[in-house]
Amino acid sequence: MATDVGLDVILEKIGPFGRYNIINYAFLLFPIFLAGMYSPVYVFEAPDIGYRCNVPQCASQNDTSWLEFAIPREKKDFSRCKRFDVLDNTTTCSRESFNVSIVKECDDFVYSDEDSAVRDFNLGCQDWKRTLIGSIHNIGLFVSLPITGIISDKYGRKVALSIASLMNGIFGFLRSFSSSYIMLLMFEFLEAALGAGAYTTAFVLAMELVGPKGRVFGNTLINVLYVFGLMTLASLSWYLQSWRNLLRIIYLPATFVFSYYWILNESVRWLLSKGRHSEAAAILKKAAKMNKVALSEDAFTPIYELEKLTTNAEKDKSDKVVEENSVFVRVIKSSIIRKRVAVCSFLWITCTFVYHGLSINSVSLAGNKYVNFILVAFVEIPANFACLLVLDRFGRKRVLITMYVLSACLCITLSFIPKGQKWWSLLVYLSGKFSITVAYSSVYIYVSEVFPTRVRQSLLAVCSSLGRVGSALAPLTPLLALTYDNLPAIFFGSLALIASVLVFSLPETINQPLPDTIEEAERLSKRRRKECA
């Protein structure tokens, strides 16, 4: 605790956004901007395109009127996966050439001119293979988070950021040259598994760069740059109309982030945690000089005194390990904390599932799919600002319940809007994305406030990791639309409605001190029961 207090005092004197901070933030916002393009790139890598069965006997015909006799209709459109049987020895493509009583599955396809991995790898009528590309990408996150975390904690933040960004650039660029579906999946997984941690590392570096007063603004700035990445991805895809060229253009810049190893300064907090106090003090002095802040040598006294604290900490290391193990066992035995972990994990899964699902399915809305995606991404900017305004005013529970219920109502309402009303559909869709974004941002803050200090990071990691289940399943939701167009929206709404009910079982944390012990964390729920009695 003394470590953080001494450092925060110095950071406050240096200032939250002087010249040093702005330059370093500019560097860190670049990989965050790139991450905004990498996260949903599979949406434009393998979009669903138009295709139909290939009828070899009629392939040479310039006139396509024979399609009426060759292919059955489904929902007023020609079937994409079935065709009528062709009579033997037929030489024409007339009505008499086809046996409409026998329907066959297609074994070959004619694709539209739209560019997609679906056409390149002949994935017609194999929607599960198309959506699996996105799921494989998100499954890679389960690997990237622990790997990057280990590297970051052991070897430093800038080392983890440089390596992860290099992996992004290499495997993302190589993926553009995929010659088979399996090769595409392999590089999709490797790029995410080894490179997706670049975002989290850049985020941590940015948060550790400033003191408490600069973190709220810094976090908002990071979210805005991430959204700009989403919007840039859609714009580039619209302009290029080539998924291979898109990958080459967006992934190549990531290799330059590897140079951050020599450009960026290491996190001062990480250096202090490793006992490298002289290096930490040198960086702080450099920051003060660049920000034109005069600091006396006495200001760094807490930094130099940390060596003694570190030595004492090493002596008590074995006692702390035993104590931590004891705390974790007590957490497992606490029914209140166990229930809280389960509910918070479900809230996280709901947020990731609905958030990513709405982004992915936005390209299937009526109208221009690129414009729709850009608008759905842009609505996150006001949503993040709204979150900052309402959480401290109305409380965590009230905001979460309201946003989940609103998101559920808006998603379910989509199924009642006629297909011809594309502007109403888009407005309701954007409102649904706005509400789930506010809920998502609120969950991040709320979950960190309901667990005891000694195991807060561990339990937060449990909820976050389980939340990745939602992002891994989200790319599969377009398959639901094959049964009923609005089924994904109904599914999103139902899940959000369940989440809103579960929030009632959690305590309110507004204006409450963070619980340091298990007993204090449990008392949050007990206090709620007394207030309701």
Side-chain angles (χ1 to χ4, degrees):
M1 190 67 68
T3 302
D4 291 337
V5 170
L7 178 58
D8 284 338
V9 169
I10 296 174
L11 289 176
E12 186 176 352
K13 291 179 180 178
I14 292 175
F17 284 99
R19 183 166 173 258
Y20 176 84
N21 309 79
I22 292 173
I23 291 174
N24 280 272
Y25 245 84
F27 278 116
L28 293 172
L29 288 175
F30 182 61
I32 287 170
F33 168 76
L34 293 178
M37 293 192 284
Y38 300 161
S39 179
V41 67
Y42 53 83
V43 174
F44 300 103
E45 193 176 352
D48 195 16
I49 61 175
Y51 55 84
R52 62 168 173 80
C53 287
N54 180 32
V55 183
Q57 295 85 346
C58 306
S60 60
Q61 298 286 325
N62 293 325
D63 185 13
T64 57
S65 58
W66 54 269
L67 289 174
E68 292 286 349
F69 320 128
I71 299 177
R73 287 185 175 272
E74 295 178 354
K75 299 180 181 179
K76 299 182 180 180
D77 296 320
F78 288 117
S79 172
R80 303 206 297 177
C81 304
K82 298 177 181 179
R83 65 179 179 86
F84 292 125
D85 187 32
V86 181
L87 298 175
D88 294 334
N89 301 321
T90 185
T91 57
T92 63
C93 290
S94 61
R95 185 186 299 272
E96 292 75 21
S97 302
F98 302 94
N99 184 355
V100 295
S101 62
I102 300 177
V103 179
K104 290 186 173 182
E105 297 289 335
C106 301
D107 50 19
D108 193 19
F109 302 90
V110 175
Y111 294 94
S112 65
D113 293 333
E114 300 169 90
D115 185 74
S116 172
V118 172
R119 184 181 67 179
D120 289 6
F121 304 123
N122 194 28
L123 302 181
C125 293
Q126 300 179 82
D127 284 289
W128 68 273
K129 282 190 174 182
R130 179 177 65 84
T131 56
L132 183 62
I133 296 173
S135 292
I136 289 293
H137 182 95
N138 287 330
I139 288 172
L141 298 178
F142 288 98
V143 180
S144 69
L145 294 178
I147 286 181
T148 309
I150 291 171
I151 295 174
S152 178
D153 289 338
K154 188 172 184 179
Y155 300 104
R157 313 299 195 218
K158 68 176 185 177
V159 174
L161 175 60
S162 301
I163 293 175
S165 295
L166 183 63
M167 296 300 101
N168 266 332
I170 291 175
F171 291 113
F173 189 77
L174 288 176
R175 192 163 83 241
S176 69
F177 296 97
S178 297
S179 57
S180 67
Y181 176 71
I182 298 300
M183 182 178 177
L184 179 72
L185 288 185
M186 181 181 69
F187 284 129
E188 194 82 46
F189 176 79
L190 289 174
E191 182 263 312
L194 301 179
Y199 171 82
T200 55
T201 308
F203 180 88
V204 170
L205 254 173
M207 289 296 99
E208 292 180 343
L209 184 64
V210 296
K213 291 184 178 179
R215 287 174 196 155
V216 173
F217 178 75
N219 180 59
T220 304
L221 199 60
I222 287 171
N223 290 335
V224 170
L225 260 292
Y226 185 86
V227 172
F228 281 159
L230 295 172
M231 296 166 66
T232 302
L233 171 69
S235 302
L236 282 174
S237 181
W238 190 5
Y239 175 75
L240 295 171
Q241 294 295 312
S242 169
W243 69 271
R244 294 182 186 272
N245 288 337
L246 176 67
L247 293 184
R248 291 162 193 165
I249 288 177
I250 67 174
Y251 278 106
L252 189 60
T255 58
F256 297 111
V257 180
F258 184 67
S259 64
Y260 282 18
Y261 178 77
W262 297 277
I263 296 174
L264 283 183
N265 289 314
E266 186 52 85
S267 166
V268 172
R269 292 186 186 277
W270 181 82
L271 289 172
L272 291 175
S273 72
K274 294 298 181 181
R276 294 160 63 175
H277 309 102
S278 297
E279 293 178 56
I283 293 174
L284 290 172
K285 289 178 181 178
K286 177 183 177 182
K289 184 178 180 181
M290 289 184 67
N291 288 0
K292 297 181 179 180
V293 175
L295 289 178
S296 64
E297 195 65 25
D298 293 339
F300 297 94
T301 300
I303 300 296
Y304 295 126
E305 288 181 348
L306 286 175
E307 245 175 305
K308 298 177 183 178
L309 295 176
T310 303
T311 303
N312 294 332
E314 287 295 324
K315 293 179 182 178
D316 299 332
K317 188 175 181 181
S318 59
D319 294 335
K320 286 185 178 181
V321 171
V322 173
E323 185 181 352
E324 289 295 338
N325 290 337
S326 175
V327 171
F328 193 75
V329 170
R330 289 169 59 202
V331 165
I332 295 175
K333 290 181 178 180
S334 171
S335 60
I336 294 177
I337 303 297
R338 286 203 310 270
K339 183 183 76 170
R340 202 171 290 174
V341 170
V343 173
C344 288
S345 296
F346 186 84
L347 298 183
W348 211 304
I349 290 172
T350 301
C351 283
T352 58
F353 185 70
V354 179
Y355 172 88
H356 290 287
L358 287 175
S359 296
I360 293 167
N361 286 275
S362 65
V363 296
S364 63
L365 288 171
N368 187 301
K369 65 180 181 181
Y370 303 103
V371 173
N372 290 341
F373 189 90
I374 291 172
L375 291 175
V376 169
F378 178 79
V379 78
E380 293 182 39
I381 296 177
N384 278 291
F385 282 106
C387 182
L388 296 176
L389 295 174
V390 299
L391 275 181
D392 288 332
R393 184 174 181 181
F394 299 106
R396 281 52 163 158
K397 282 185 65 174
R398 190 180 300 178
V399 170
L400 276 171
I401 292 169
T402 302
M403 290 300 108
Y404 276 129
V405 170
L406 183 60
S407 180
C409 293
L410 290 167
C411 288
I412 294 174
T413 299
L414 279 172
S415 60
F416 297 101
I417 299 177
K419 281 189 175 181
Q421 302 292 327
K422 66 178 184 179
W423 290 111
W424 276 110
S425 297
L426 182 60
L427 180 62
V428 173
Y429 202 93
L430 292 175
S431 301
K433 182 65 182 297
F434 177 94
S435 56
I436 199 63
T437 301
V438 174
Y440 200 176
S441 298
S442 302
V443 164
Y444 264 98
I445 297 172
Y446 182 70
V447 173
S448 66
E449 295 176 333
V450 294
F451 296 127
T453 299
R454 302 303 295 273
V455 289
R456 181 175 296 127
Q457 187 63 40
S458 299
L459 296 182
L460 189 67
V462 169
C463 296
S464 177
S465 298
L466 289 174
R468 300 295 175 183
V469 173
S471 60
L473 294 176
L476 301 176
T477 53
L479 297 178
L480 298 174
L482 300 177
T483 305
Y484 174 55
D485 290 343
N486 292 312
L487 193 56
I490 295 175
F491 200 69
F492 297 148
S494 301
L495 208 60
L497 205 57
I498 295 172
S500 69
V501 174
L502 291 177
V503 175
F504 281 101
S505 67
L506 296 173
E508 178 57 79
T509 58
I510 186 173
N511 297 326
Q512 296 293 333
L514 290 177
D516 290 320
T517 65
I518 296 174
E519 290 75 16
E520 290 177 1
E522 290 177 333
R523 278 199 292 271
L524 289 174
S525 294
K526 294 174 182 177
R527 185 183 297 114
R528 180 180 64 86
R529 293 194 194 102
K530 289 180 181 179
E531 290 173 353
C532 294

